[in-house]
C-alpha cells in the first residue's frame, strides 16, 4: 500500500510540474523571429530619455532563447544588445549585454506572457547593481522589453528602457 501511495504521489507531482515546464519551449518559440521597432532608454534614472530604433533577431531552441540586436539613438550612436536565456524547470537564467558592453546576469520566472527577470548589472548603475527586466509577448507579432531601476535620490522605480518591437 505504501509503495502504491508513493507511486501515485510521484506521478501526480510529475504531471503537475512536468506540465508547467513543458509549456516553456513553445512559449520561447513564439518569441523567435526578426523584430523591428523602437522606444527609449535612459543612461541614468535622472537623465533625459534617448529615442531608439532597434532591430533584433531572436532564436529559440528547446528551452533556450537568444536575442541579438542593434539599437540606434540620436542617429549616430549604434550599440549591440543581446540576451541569452535558458529555462530549467520554471526558472529562467542567463546573461544580458547592454549598451555599455558589460555582461549582466538575469534570473527569474514566467508569468503568463511575460518573463520577469531580476538583473544583476556588471557594475554599479544608479547606485547599485540591481534592476528588473520584463520581456513580454504583447500579441503574436509584438513584444515589449522594459527595464526598471530604482532612482537612488528618490527611491522611486523608474523605467530606464522601454522597447516595443513588431515581427517583420
Amino acid at each position: 500500500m505504501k509503495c502504491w501511495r508513493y507511486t501515485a504521489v510521484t506521478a501526480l507531482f510529475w504531471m503537475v510540474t512536468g506540465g508547467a515546464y513543458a509549456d516553456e519551449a513553445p512559449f520561447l518559440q513564439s518569441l523567435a523571429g526578426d523584430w523591428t521597432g523602437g522606444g527609449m532608454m535612459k543612461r541614468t534614472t535622472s537623465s533625459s530619455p534617448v529615442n531608439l530604433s532597434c532591430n533584433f533577431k531572436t532564436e529559440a531552441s528547446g528551452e533556450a532563447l537568444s536575442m541579438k540586436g542593434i539599437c540606434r539613438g540620436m542617429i549616430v550612436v549604434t550599440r549591440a544588445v543581446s540576451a541569452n536565456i535558458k529555462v530549467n524547470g520554471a526558472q529562467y537564467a542567463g546573461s544580458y549585454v547592454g549598451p555599455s558592453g558589460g555582461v549582466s546576469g538575469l534570473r527569474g520566472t514566467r508569468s503568463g506572457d511575460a518573463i520577469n527577470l531580476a538583473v544583476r548589472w556588471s557594475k554599479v548603475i544608479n547606485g547599485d547593481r540591481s534592476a528588473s527586466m520584463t520581456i513580454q509577448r504583447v500579441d503574436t507579432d509584438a513584444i515589449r522589453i522594459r527595464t526598471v531601476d530604482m532612482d537612488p535620490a528618490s527611491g522611486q522605480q523608474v523605467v530606464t528602457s522601454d522597447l516595443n518591437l513588431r515581427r517583420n
Side-chain angles (χ1 to χ4, degrees), residues 42 44-46 147-151 154 156-160:
K42 297 173 119 187
T44 67
T45 53
S46 60
T147 306
V148 178
D149 206 344
M150 185 178 69
D151 178 37
S154 69
Q156 299 295 313
Q157 296 292 315
V158 176
V159 175
T160 54

Side-chain angles (χ1 to χ4, degrees), residues 103-118:
V103 179
S104 301
L106 300 171
R107 183 166 303 280
T109 58
R110 178 167 69 100
S111 177
D113 285 339
I115 304 170
N116 300 305
L117 301 161

Side-chain angles (χ1 to χ4, degrees), residues 10-71:
T10 302
L12 180 61
F13 173 79
W14 285 110
M15 285 179 5
V16 171
T17 60
Y21 299 161
D23 292 340
E24 299 310 305
F27 176 75
L28 293 177
Q29 189 61 47
S30 76
L31 301 175
D34 295 329
W35 303 88
T36 303
M40 70 83 182
M41 62 126 345
K42 297 173 119 187
R43 293 189 63 69
T44 67
T45 53
S46 60
S47 66
S48 297
V50 174
N51 290 327
L52 299 175
S53 173
C54 303
N55 296 304
F56 280 88
K57 181 171 186 66
T58 303
E59 296 177 350
S61 175
E63 294 186 339
L65 180 71
S66 171
M67 302 179 81
K68 292 182 173 66
I70 298 286
C71 289

